[in-house]
Amino acid sequence: MPQVTLTVNGASHTVEVEGRTLLVELLREKLRLTGTHVGCDTSQCGACVVHVNGDSVKSCTLLALQADGAEITTIEGLAKPDGTLHPMQEAFREYHALQCGFCTPGMVMSAIDLVQKHPQGLSEKEIREGLEGNLCRCTGYHNIVKAIAAAQDVMHGRRAELAPAAE
Amino acid sequence: MYDFAYHKPTTVADAVKILSADPEARPISGGQTLLPALKHRLNKPTAVVDLSGIAELKGIRREGDRLVIGALAKHGEVANSPEVKAAIPALAQMASTIGDTQVRNRGTIGGSVSNNDPAADYPAAVLGLDATVVTDKRRIAADDFFQGMFTTALEPGELLVAIEFPIPEKAGYAKMRNPASRYVMAGVFVARTKSGTRVVVNGAGPGVFRQAEMETALAANWSADAVAGVKQSPDGLNGDIHGSAEYRAHLVTVMAKRAVANAG
């Protein structure tokens, strides 16, 4: 069986896979990193988004073998070892940007990539367009957009702490 | 998904050798169309040939009055490329609207053009700009390349290497997306080039096609008003639950006006 070697959240792994094994299957079933979700079978929902060499991609639409040698970051790799959340995770909590939470890992990973690629800042419209590859069936996106708008100020150093959500 | 062998050659010659020896082997670049098809078992290749390690297929460069884009250029790379933005801004703009961010981070121009999905964006630009498709064996004019739904002039085992776009005087693109799937319902690419004026329709029919009446109207008078009075016939256009052929025909004129406005 072919082998794939990749770095996931800073740790190197060498794993035996089939040709058809998807990256998300490797993450969930071989490495037991089940924070990355699978919500559809059509590459549309974005629940499986992870970062591959710094870019957000749908891990259900990438063969594990295509990720050979890559640096992968999943939702499990965001918080600090002491449990301090990434500013985007903290913003999702503060702004109540989820209900059932199924889409949340993918939303957070897409949102971080979106913010990192736009250091000049994103308007509400740009955030909504930037989330085109992620579906949420609970919240109607409103609080997700607010959370991302707040998180970008912290990520870009424009605010030391997250702006509190309105009462 | 059915299982398959996986190959990752580092030269075009090696990739072509594997593909030519096994007619059931399929090339993969970004995989944003192929993998969903494989997941649904619509396709059962014996082997998948990963092209991503082939340096000859990479790069975006200006060569005189042409822009040459390697087959492996991702949609996101084309959208953000300073060379593309400077030479053919309409192409960069088009690339920035393909799929979603994650698709643009993986999907490639060579894959999109080889696949020739009727609802794909790039074929409209390739035909609209009178581009040349370069393969490992030959050079193919865009007018000869696209041959209807999911069909191109590529022969089995033949690989698209790069696309050469003549730099136009003006070009613009507009599309109406299906609000759920985001695929093109009807799109129009317009260009004024040294070799003439071109108007290409995508999404509305079984493949990209040139709209001769609109080309004549725009050649005489480059303005949105010039195409406003040209009606597209619904004959042969796609009709489905998302929109009738008549609706798509109507959209063609609307998109043509917007494309001209976008071209400036």
Side-chain angles (χ1 to χ4, degrees):
Chain A
M1 215 182 269
Q3 280 192 341
V4 56
T5 298
L6 34 64
T7 303
V8 181
N9 302 329
S12 179
H13 298 270
T14 298
V15 186
E16 283 198 344
V17 295
E18 292 181 297
R20 63 179 166 180
T21 304
L22 299 167
L23 177 61
V24 71
E25 293 168 343
L26 182 153
L27 294 172
R28 287 181 56 87
E29 295 165 21
K30 305 269 186 185
L31 304 184
R32 309 306 290 174
L33 293 170
T34 54
T36 302
H37 293 166
V38 178
C40 76
D41 201 15
T42 52
S43 310
Q44 284 173 306
C45 82
C48 67
V49 170
V50 301
H51 296 178
V52 176
N53 297 328
D55 289 327
S56 60
V57 306
K58 293 179 174 174
S59 62
C60 77
T61 311
L62 184 70
L63 298 173
L65 285 162
Q66 287 179 294
D68 190 42
E71 298 256 352
I72 316 283
T73 305
T74 71
I75 191 77
E76 290 92 343
L78 295 182
K80 291 184 182 156
D82 69 0
T84 307
L85 295 179
H86 185 283
M88 189 63 75
Q89 292 174 304
E90 187 59 43
F92 269 60
R93 181 162 75 177
E94 171 68 18
Y95 284 80
H96 197 66
L98 61 146
Q99 285 185 30
C100 85
F102 193 88
C103 74
T104 309
M107 284 285 180
V108 168
M109 299 312 288
S110 289
I112 290 172
D113 184 34
L114 180 67
V115 168
Q116 283 175 343
K117 301 267 170 72
H118 293 84
Q120 75 283 13
L122 291 150
S123 67
E124 183 196 326
K125 182 168 180 280
E126 288 167 331
I127 293 171
R128 288 182 185 276
E129 287 172 357
L131 293 179
E132 200 164 28
N134 293 78
L135 300 180
C136 165
R137 301 291 79 168
C138 302
T139 74
Y141 303 95
H142 202 55
N143 286 356
I144 295 172
V145 174
K146 284 187 195 169
I148 296 169
Q152 68 175 344
D153 289 339
V154 180
M155 286 173 65
H156 294 314
R158 286 192 279 271
R159 283 183 68 101
E161 289 185 11
L162 196 68
E167 287 298 317
Chain B
M1 207 188 308
Y2 299 110
D3 200 17
F4 41 75
Y6 173 87
H7 303 282
K8 192 172 178 185
T10 54
T11 65
V12 169
D14 284 350
V16 167
K17 203 159 140 189
I18 301 167
L19 291 165
S20 303
D22 179 359
E24 300 302 317
R26 291 292 303 270
I28 189 169
S29 48
Q32 300 302 287
T33 298
L34 181 61
L35 287 174
L38 295 184
K39 283 200 272 186
H40 289 157
R41 297 188 170 181
L42 297 174
N43 208 312
K44 192 182 177 186
T46 49
V48 160
V49 182
D50 185 348
L51 306 178
S52 67
I54 304 177
E56 300 154 75
L57 301 177
K58 294 180 185 172
I60 298 174
R61 59 192 181 275
R62 176 93 177 242
E63 287 182 3
D65 58 359
R66 295 171 308 164
L67 186 69
V68 182
I69 302 185
L72 285 181
K74 297 182 175 87
H75 309 326
E77 286 175 55
V78 173
N80 294 315
S81 157
E83 288 86 3
V84 181
K85 283 184 184 173
I88 316 179
L91 189 60
Q93 187 273 334
M94 168 188 274
S96 77
T97 68
I98 299 173
D100 53 48
T101 303
Q102 290 72 37
V103 167
R104 292 193 290 275
N105 282 341
R106 292 291 307 165
T108 67
I109 191 168
S112 170
V113 171
S114 302
N115 190 50
N116 193 20
D117 188 314
D121 296 274
Y122 272 138
V126 172
L127 187 57
L129 292 166
D130 194 14
T132 300
V133 176
V134 182
T135 79
D136 61 296
K137 296 182 178 71
R138 56 190 170 137
R139 301 167 57 81
I140 309 170
D143 282 314
D144 302 324
F145 185 80
F146 299 106
Q147 302 184 350
M149 192 178 285
F150 297 110
T151 309
T152 69
L154 288 174
E155 287 165 3
E158 186 173 14
L159 267 191
L160 193 159
V161 171
I163 301 171
E164 295 182 2
F165 293 95
I167 293 167
E169 292 165 21
K170 285 181 177 211
Y173 178 58
K175 64 176 170 179
M176 178 64 77
R177 294 173 148 201
N178 177 310
S181 74
R182 316 301 284 154
Y183 274 105
V184 183
M185 299 275 292
V188 173
F189 193 94
V190 298
R192 201 167 75 188
T193 70
K194 285 193 189 106
S195 62
T197 299
R198 283 180 172 240
V199 178
V200 171
V201 178
N202 65 331
V208 281
F209 63 90
R210 292 174 65 180
Q211 221 293 356
E213 265 186 277
M214 288 186 182
E215 291 185 351
T216 307
L218 267 191
N221 171 19
W222 182 273
S223 74
D225 287 345
V227 289
V230 182
K231 288 206 175 352
Q232 166 68 41
S233 163
D235 292 347
L237 296 192
N238 303 333
D240 53 32
I241 61 165
H242 307 297
S244 63
E246 288 74 18
Y247 176 64
R248 283 185 165 86
H250 173 74
L251 282 180
V252 168
T253 301
V254 178
M255 292 306 115
K257 283 158 58 181
R258 290 185 190 175
V260 175
N262 288 344

